[in-house]
Amino acid sequence: RKEVEQDPGPFNVPEGATVAFNCTYSNSASQSFFWYRQDCRKEPKLLMSVYSSGNEDGRFTAQLNRASQYISLLIRDSKLSDSATYLCVVTPLYNFNKFYFGSGTKLNVKP
Amino acid sequence: SQTIHQWPATLVQPVGSPLSLECTVEGTSNPNLYWYRQAAGRGLQLLFYSVGIGQISSEVPQNLSASRPQDRQFILSSKKLLLSDSGFYLCACTNVAGESTDTQYFGPGTRLTVL
């Protein structure tokens, strides 16, 4: 079983739509959680960390559900520039140097 | 803030040839450094990480090796490339000053094609 699993998509949404992605993780002892954004043929860039209490940054909201072992990313009022692949990242409690990446969820925002 | 440099940006190499990719970090000291590979349409695979000069942890047995000759320099090497070594190689760092120790930042990557 993979450490981190994501729906590869693509999610095709119109501008202005609200879209949500989930990411499940297998290790209940996972400690830290992140969402990264990766544009085509570019490096991943940190979008936001995911805290136990959830966090919001503008149009982006991230939440953690430890009981069900998943994290979510909600994007409101989608922009064309939000089109990218969104990577979920999880680190285990026992080794802060191990970062487990999901394969990513592709989002296409269309005019 | 830190800046991660990688070179070359792209590389085309024949099977069996050697490889050397370099990563350098500016703007921070004593970073933890990582090498990842991303195959086309796939997730990131951690290859090596280092918490200090001369210290290397290998995650996946293969024909690649890594070295850290200086605090802010991380090198990925191979003596003989395989077709399966093709991919997007990314250097990353954590333990950046002012950030939590588990926030990871990436360099621009090297796109390697082995023919």
Side-chain angles (χ1 to χ4, degrees), chain B residues 23-97:
Chain B
C23 168
T24 58
V25 182
E26 290 181 355
T28 191
S29 59
N30 196 30
N32 296 336
L33 297 174
Y34 307 80
W35 278 112
Y36 289 88
R37 176 171 61 204
Q38 186 176 34
R42 306 284 294 275
L44 275 69
Q45 178 187 36
L46 179 62
L47 302 175
F48 302 94
Y49 68 87
S50 170
V51 299
I53 296 173
Q55 189 282 329
I56 305 294
S57 294
S58 174
E59 288 298 301
V60 183
Q62 55 205 319
N63 67 321
L64 299 172
S65 61
S67 62
R68 186 168 176 177
Q70 299 181 48
D71 180 47
R72 288 172 285 180
Q73 184 184 30
F74 204 23
I75 297 172
L76 182 70
S77 304
S78 174
K79 291 182 179 177
K80 285 187 177 183
L81 283 169
L82 306 173
L83 286 174
S84 57
D85 290 325
S86 293
F88 190 35
Y89 287 81
L90 290 154
C91 178
C93 74
T94 61
N95 202 31
V96 172

Side-chain angles (χ1 to χ4, degrees), chain A residues 32 36 38 41 97-98, chain B residues 34 38 59 102 104 111:
Chain A
S32 300
Y36 279 74
Q38 186 173 26
R41 301 179 71 82
N97 279 304
K98 282 190 181 284
Chain B
Y34 307 80
Q38 186 176 34
E59 288 298 301
D102 56 6
Q104 196 166 59
R111 197 161 297 278

